[in-house]
Amino acid sequence: MTARSPTLALHGDKFAWSMLAAAPHAVIVVAADGEIAYANDHAAEMFGYSLEELVGRVVDDLLPEAQRSVHRADRTRYRADPVARVMAPSSELWAKRADGVLIAVEVSLSPLQVGGDTFVVAFIEDIAGRLVIEEQLRRVLATMDAIDDGVFMFDATTLRYSYVNEGAVRLTGYERDELLTMSPLHVNPATSDAEYRGLIDTLHAADTVAIVREATLIRKDGSEVDVEKTLWLAPKARNGTNWVISLARDITARRASDADRLHTAEVLHAAEQVLAVADDRERIARDLHDTVIQRLFGEGLQLQAIVGALVEPAQAKVLSVIVGLDETIKQLRAAIFSLQGVENGAPGRLRSRILDVFADATAALEGDPQLEFVGPIETVRDEIADHLLPVLTEALTNVVHHAEARTVEVVVSVAGHVTLTIADDGVGPPPGPSTGHGLPNMAERARDLGGTFSITARESGGTLLTWEVPAMTASTVIGVADAPSATGLHVPAVAGASGASTVVVRN
């Protein structure tokens, strides 16, 4: 049944064809045998035919060859049950233009009775643009699902979710269909309805772009997850609906990292305090050596210079003072070593062991023996230290007992190689091959570690011994007590009335 106003009835049936001509889409009327009985201008333009070429043509000509047989069967079935309907999903229906180009279409069918004949009116829409938009939307949604964070969209009035991504599913443990029946209050029960609406009111404020807050979500299994939520308003829908987008990011790992950083900061602070104490100890040790011991040593020398001119009992008293000064210097030396952690306070450390060997071996020298450390000495592996110490002992013994040296300079450096150099001011290396076992043993120890050994005469007089092996340093991190001093620290290794020794520690 239809109805027309009297004004429209005056035009008879012409209005019907005028209406089809004015339709915004392509319209064709197809007879029972498949012949196109009517076409409007939009149809001619869409298919690339003139109206004369289109009318009278079989409708199957407008389809790809692969779909024509199926379409003929569909027309037969439609004649048996002619009702208004949409033909097929838009992604499955294609039409063919006169130039052979295929176009995606959406077709709506409606039966038309004219006299005793039944026609079919087809309303055809080119949906290529819509398919492009749908493909873009599909890509956007796929991108949203690939995000690790949870994306939630909910109605600002009802608070009900209208969209969630796969990140939200992973974050909450609920299926997507379950979440779409829920609201933020279901997964964040610690926040009330009034608080959410207050947040939405804040977002509506003209100067508010987004709100960032931390919250705890309750997952489907009852477990909790700490998140950082960013909320902002989406553009208003055509029907006036206000949507809120919420981005939820799991911050469990970040909070653990923050805790680790806090712990690290505390450890560093403690280390700084230890270093500050170590710096004070080094400063005290340096001051003791550079001022007190040198002053005592100088006073002792002056007393020695005049003791021969004295008579008893003054001579005995002065000698007693000299002996006391010597003992005081020894006690100060022990205190300095204690401050540096290189005596009883650090048993087993290579630096301490080298200092002990150096101090014992050079005590009898008249001059000022020098010992210098370069690089991370405490990273040297035990198998190298077990060879280096005997080499040092043997070499210093030779210097003291055979070289007729007044002083000696020892350098132990660690970089790509562990290098020991010992330079004295004695009579020089013995002429000809060595008759003892000491030098061959040093060379053999170097070869066992893949290193080299040499002993040569110095231009200025004396002997230069060089013992070098690949470092093979330990991979452990050097502790505060192991780290070489950042300042050149001079502490006495041996002190007495006849002379003093110097240790230099360098990076």
Side-chain angles (χ1 to χ4, degrees), residues 182-196:
M182 301 164 65
S183 75
L185 300 177
H186 289 91
V187 295
N188 188 17
T191 304
S192 67
D193 180 277
E195 287 178 291
Y196 258 103

Side-chain angles (χ1 to χ4, degrees), residues 391 394-396 398-399 402-403 420-424 427-434 438-443 446 452-458 462-468:
V391 170
E394 177 69 22
L396 290 178
N398 290 339
V399 169
H402 305 297
L420 170 65
T421 60
I422 302 174
D424 65 61
V427 297
S434 174
L439 295 181
N441 287 343
M442 295 182 203
T452 59
F453 169 77
S454 66
I455 183 167
T456 59
R458 300 174 66 191
T463 303
L464 174 64
L465 181 150
T466 303
W467 188 86
E468 184 174 78

Side-chain angles (χ1 to χ4, degrees), residues 10-27:
L10 293 175
H11 298 282
D13 291 335
K14 290 182 179 180
F15 85 92
W17 302 111
S18 298
M19 180 181 65
L20 292 179
H25 304 305
V27 180

Side-chain angles (χ1 to χ4, degrees), residues 257-393:
S257 178
D258 290 342
D260 289 342
R261 281 196 295 270
L262 178 61
H263 175 69
T264 301
E266 293 173 349
V267 171
L268 288 175
H269 178 66
E272 288 173 355
Q273 292 179 322
V274 171
L275 287 173
V277 172
D279 287 342
D280 286 341
R281 291 162 66 98
E282 290 180 354
R283 178 183 54 78
I284 294 170
R286 184 172 60 250
D287 290 344
L288 284 173
H289 173 267
D290 292 345
T291 58
V292 179
I293 285 184
Q294 297 302 325
R295 180 66 180 271
L296 290 174
F297 182 64
E299 296 296 333
L301 290 177
Q302 292 185 32
L303 289 175
Q304 279 186 318
I306 66 173
V307 70
L310 299 176
V311 295
E312 293 293 348
Q315 188 180 65
K317 289 183 179 180
V318 171
L319 287 174
S320 176
V321 171
I322 292 173
V323 171
L325 287 175
D326 183 55
E327 183 62 29
T328 300
I329 290 173
K330 290 180 179 179
Q331 291 176 357
L332 283 173
R333 168 187 173 270
I336 291 171
F337 273 82
S338 177
L339 284 171
Q340 290 304 306
V342 295
E343 200 165 33
N344 295 332
R349 293 190 181 277
L350 178 58
R351 187 180 320 203
S352 175
R353 295 164 69 188
I354 292 174
L355 283 166
D356 287 341
V357 170
F358 180 79
D360 292 340
T362 60
L365 293 177
E366 295 181 0
D368 183 16
Q370 302 285 324
L371 172 60
E372 180 178 351
F373 292 113
V374 180
I377 302 300
E378 298 301 343
T379 64
V380 175
R381 296 172 66 97
D382 290 343
E383 54 264 38
I384 296 179
D386 291 343
H387 287 280
L388 184 146
L389 290 168
V391 170
L392 176 63
T393 302

Side-chain angles (χ1 to χ4, degrees), residues 396-433:
L396 290 178
T397 299
N398 290 339
V399 169
V400 173
H401 295 291
H402 305 297
E404 301 178 18
R406 182 178 180 275
T407 188
V408 65
E409 298 176 0
V410 177
V411 178
V412 183
S413 66
V414 178
H417 289 75
V418 177
T419 304
L420 170 65
T421 60
I422 302 174
D424 65 61
D425 60 352
V427 297

Side-chain angles (χ1 to χ4, degrees), residues 86-336:
V86 177
M87 281 188 63
S90 60
S91 60
E92 298 179 3
L93 195 59
W94 295 84
K96 182 180 179 182
R97 289 172 44 88
D99 57 8
V101 174
L102 300 182
I103 55 175
V105 295
E106 185 175 81
V107 180
S108 299
L109 304 178
S110 181
L112 174 64
Q113 294 291 332
V114 179
D117 295 323
T118 299
F119 295 85
V120 177
V121 181
F123 299 89
I124 308 168
E125 181 181 1
D126 184 345
I127 60 170
R130 186 201 303 174
L131 291 181
V132 171
I133 294 174
E134 289 177 353
E135 176 61 18
Q136 292 174 341
L137 177 60
R138 186 193 66 78
R139 292 181 180 179
V140 169
L141 294 178
T143 301
M144 298 289 283
D145 283 337
I147 297 175
D148 288 335
D149 300 334
V151 179
F152 304 80
M153 181 180 290
F154 59 89
D155 188 316
T157 302
T158 66
L159 302 185
R160 182 170 176 172
Y161 290 130
S162 60
Y163 169 79
V164 294
N165 72 337
E166 282 297 316
V169 173
R170 292 189 295 269
L171 187 64
T172 63
Y174 289 98
E175 296 297 329
R176 194 188 298 256
D177 291 343
E178 292 178 294
L179 285 172
L180 293 179
T181 66
M182 301 164 65
S183 75
L185 300 177
H186 289 91
V187 295
N188 188 17
T191 304
S192 67
D193 180 277
E195 287 178 291
Y196 258 103
R197 298 193 184 281
L199 290 172
I200 294 170
D201 290 341
T202 303
L203 287 172
H204 279 296
D207 58 346
T208 302
V209 178
I211 295 176
V212 180
R213 61 196 295 263
E214 293 188 359
T216 300
L217 298 186
I218 307 298
R219 305 181 80 250
K220 185 177 181 179
D221 60 7
S223 61
E224 297 181 351
V225 56
D226 294 328
V227 299
E228 180 184 80
K229 300 176 69 174
T230 304
L231 297 93
W232 64 91
L233 288 176
K236 184 176 294 187
R238 291 182 180 180
N239 62 3
T241 302
N242 286 316
W243 300 100
V244 178
I245 300 174
S246 174
L247 180 70
R249 172 166 296 177
D250 186 344
I251 58 173
T252 304
R254 189 177 77 188
R255 285 190 170 176
S257 178
D258 290 342
D260 289 342
R261 281 196 295 270
L262 178 61
H263 175 69
T264 301
E266 293 173 349
V267 171
L268 288 175
H269 178 66
E272 288 173 355
Q273 292 179 322
V274 171
L275 287 173
V277 172
D279 287 342
D280 286 341
R281 291 162 66 98
E282 290 180 354
R283 178 183 54 78
I284 294 170
R286 184 172 60 250
D287 290 344
L288 284 173
H289 173 267
D290 292 345
T291 58
V292 179
I293 285 184
Q294 297 302 325
R295 180 66 180 271
L296 290 174
F297 182 64
E299 296 296 333
L301 290 177
Q302 292 185 32
L303 289 175
Q304 279 186 318
I306 66 173
V307 70
L310 299 176
V311 295
E312 293 293 348
Q315 188 180 65
K317 289 183 179 180
V318 171
L319 287 174
S320 176
V321 171
I322 292 173
V323 171
L325 287 175
D326 183 55
E327 183 62 29
T328 300
I329 290 173
K330 290 180 179 179
Q331 291 176 357
L332 283 173
R333 168 187 173 270
I336 291 171

